[in-house]
Amino acid sequence: MMATASKAVADSRANLPFVYRQYSAEQLKQVLYKMYLIRRFEEGAEESYMRGLIHGTMHLSIGQEASAMGICMPLGEDDQITSTHRGHGHCIAKGAEVKRMFAEFFGKTTGYCKGRGGSMHIADVAKGNLGANGIVGGGIPIAVGAALSSKMMKTGKVVVSFFGDGANNEGAFHEALNMAAVWKLPVIFVCENNGYGMSTSTARSTAVKNIADRAAAYSMPGVIVNGNIFSEVAEASYKAIERARAGEGPTLIESKTYRHRGHSKSDRNRYRTKEEIEDWMSNRDPITLFENELREFGFIDDKGIEAIRDAVAQEIADGIEFAKASPSPDVSETGNYVYTEQA
């Protein structure tokens, strides 16, 4: 009788999307936790900016949480990523602590870069995050270099390079993809296509309909996924990572997604209609879509979701207080840790 019941459970799971067969309920709940952590971190950062606690600017990825988590979920701790100016979600998905990220935003010495980097330059090499980059496409050749190092030193590490749709028209994109393909390097190129490079739509800036179509020119797979559906992104990432580990070379993944906020804090959003933004926020929000799947497949209930939300809210509140209480760099030491460990 028990064997029959077990078989029924196994059969029902066999029809589920890949991630619900590959990962446990606890792992998937942790994914939801981190997706909320990314969302609430950025909302907390946005509020802190409005209150004058953070200076400069920032580029928020609210609405793109499934893309960051889906790509990073199959990665190991030793695997590496390069990020972008819109990279807070990548950092958290790769294991960063939000309290140290807040401290970095606040310019405090307890931040990941001791308060010197700010929003666009967070790095956490111990967790495999080689750093965000304010230069469009700047992280792509760095990822190829890291992948070349992995291959030559036989470390087994896989490297993921995140970049936006605007970077696919940079020369570095084409040079890097060609080199990675020629040498069959263990690197995955992930284009988070949110439809706009600053205020210019991809349709106006890029000749091909899909950025993934450009993979054919470099003899590598080009995969298109709905970047707001976690299960789609994670499955594509898993397959690309397995391919890279097997020595078969790079993959280009185009994650079609959307940013709810403007390009940066100075963006007035005049190039997008309110109806377009509202449609994405109301009908295609990645956290809502993932929650609905978890409920539908019996991995979590409303009480479990509420517990996650409460725990995330507490972690965010604690992180902001940690940043506020942390010391600022001494004026005499502001040049330290910029180019070297010490002055």
Side-chain angles (χ1 to χ4, degrees):
M1 190 75 173
M2 289 180 63
T4 302
S6 298
K7 184 177 184 304
V9 171
D11 288 344
S12 65
R13 286 178 64 90
N15 295 321
L16 297 180
F18 168 80
V19 295
Y20 300 99
R21 292 179 276 114
Q22 181 69 22
Y23 301 111
S24 68
E26 286 307 310
Q27 287 175 304
L28 294 172
K29 289 175 186 177
Q30 186 62 22
V31 169
L32 182 61
Y33 184 96
K34 283 197 170 186
M35 286 173 69
Y36 264 115
L37 198 62
I38 295 168
R39 176 73 58 92
R40 300 294 180 247
F41 171 82
E42 295 204 306
E43 290 174 346
E46 186 176 39
E47 181 183 354
S48 297
Y49 176 90
M50 299 301 290
R51 293 170 58 192
L53 298 172
I54 296 174
H55 303 286
T57 189
M58 65 179 67
H59 305 78
L60 302 176
S61 65
I62 294 172
Q64 300 183 189
E65 295 85 0
S67 183
M69 280 306 302
I71 292 296
C72 290
M73 177 67 176
L75 292 173
E77 190 164 312
D78 289 339
D79 294 324
Q80 299 171 316
I81 67 168
T82 62
S83 186
T84 72
H85 60 284
R86 199 180 309 283
H88 313 144
H90 310 148
C91 296
I92 295 171
K94 197 61 177 70
E97 298 178 78
V98 293
K99 67 178 184 180
R100 292 186 64 189
M101 289 180 66
F102 275 124
E104 186 62 37
F105 277 46
F106 283 38
K108 300 300 184 70
T109 60
T110 53
Y112 273 105
C113 299
K114 302 186 185 297
R116 272 69 166 178
S119 170
M120 287 192 287
H121 300 96
I122 292 179
D124 182 15
V125 177
K127 291 286 188 179
N129 181 357
L130 300 182
N133 203 308
I135 299 171
V136 175
I140 302 175
I142 294 172
V144 170
L148 176 60
S149 173
S150 173
K151 183 171 183 176
M152 294 183 71
M153 297 177 70
K154 296 180 171 59
T155 64
K157 294 179 182 178
V158 169
V159 186
V160 167
S161 176
F162 287 101
F163 55 95
D165 45 276
N168 97 104
N169 290 317
E170 293 286 335
F173 166 86
H174 297 275
E175 294 170 15
L177 265 67
N178 184 65
M179 183 177 288
V182 168
W183 289 341
K184 291 190 180 299
L185 300 182
V187 58
I188 294 98
F189 301 101
V190 179
C191 177
E192 293 186 310
N193 184 356
N194 58 32
Y196 297 91
M198 292 189 71
S199 60
T200 304
S201 70
T202 310
R204 292 175 58 200
S205 67
T206 302
V208 292
K209 181 179 180 181
N210 301 300
I211 291 166
D213 295 344
R214 290 186 158 169
Y218 304 106
S219 191
M220 69 177 72
V223 182
I224 300 170
V225 294
N226 183 333
N228 285 21
I229 297 180
F230 168 77
S231 57
E232 279 196 31
V233 183
E235 181 173 6
S237 178
Y238 182 90
K239 291 177 179 178
I241 290 166
E242 289 295 293
R243 183 174 185 274
R245 289 202 202 285
E248 296 175 16
T251 300
L252 172 60
I253 298 174
E254 180 180 3
S255 178
K256 292 184 182 288
T257 182
Y258 197 81
R259 52 174 164 82
H260 293 178
R261 301 295 195 268
H263 170 72
S264 67
K265 295 307 298 178
S266 60
D267 186 353
R268 295 185 179 182
N269 251 330
R270 291 179 175 175
Y271 51 90
R272 305 191 295 183
T273 65
K274 291 181 180 179
E275 291 76 17
E276 176 184 307
I277 298 170
E278 180 59 32
D279 176 53
W280 280 89
M281 292 178 66
S282 300
N283 302 318
R284 291 183 264 186
D285 181 86
I287 296 178
T288 301
L289 292 174
F290 186 48
E291 279 183 349
N292 290 343
E293 283 195 345
L294 287 172
R295 280 198 202 93
E296 180 185 350
F297 301 141
F299 285 84
I300 201 169
D301 56 20
D302 289 342
K303 185 177 179 180
I305 291 172
E306 194 59 38
I308 286 174
R309 292 172 181 168
D310 291 343
V312 167
Q314 186 61 55
E315 184 171 351
I316 294 299
D318 291 345
I320 291 174
E321 289 306 311
F322 172 84
K324 286 181 180 178
S326 294
S328 298
D330 188 273
V331 174
S332 65
E333 298 177 349
T334 53
N336 293 5
Y337 309 107
V338 178
Y339 294 106
T340 62
E341 285 292 317
Q342 298 177 358

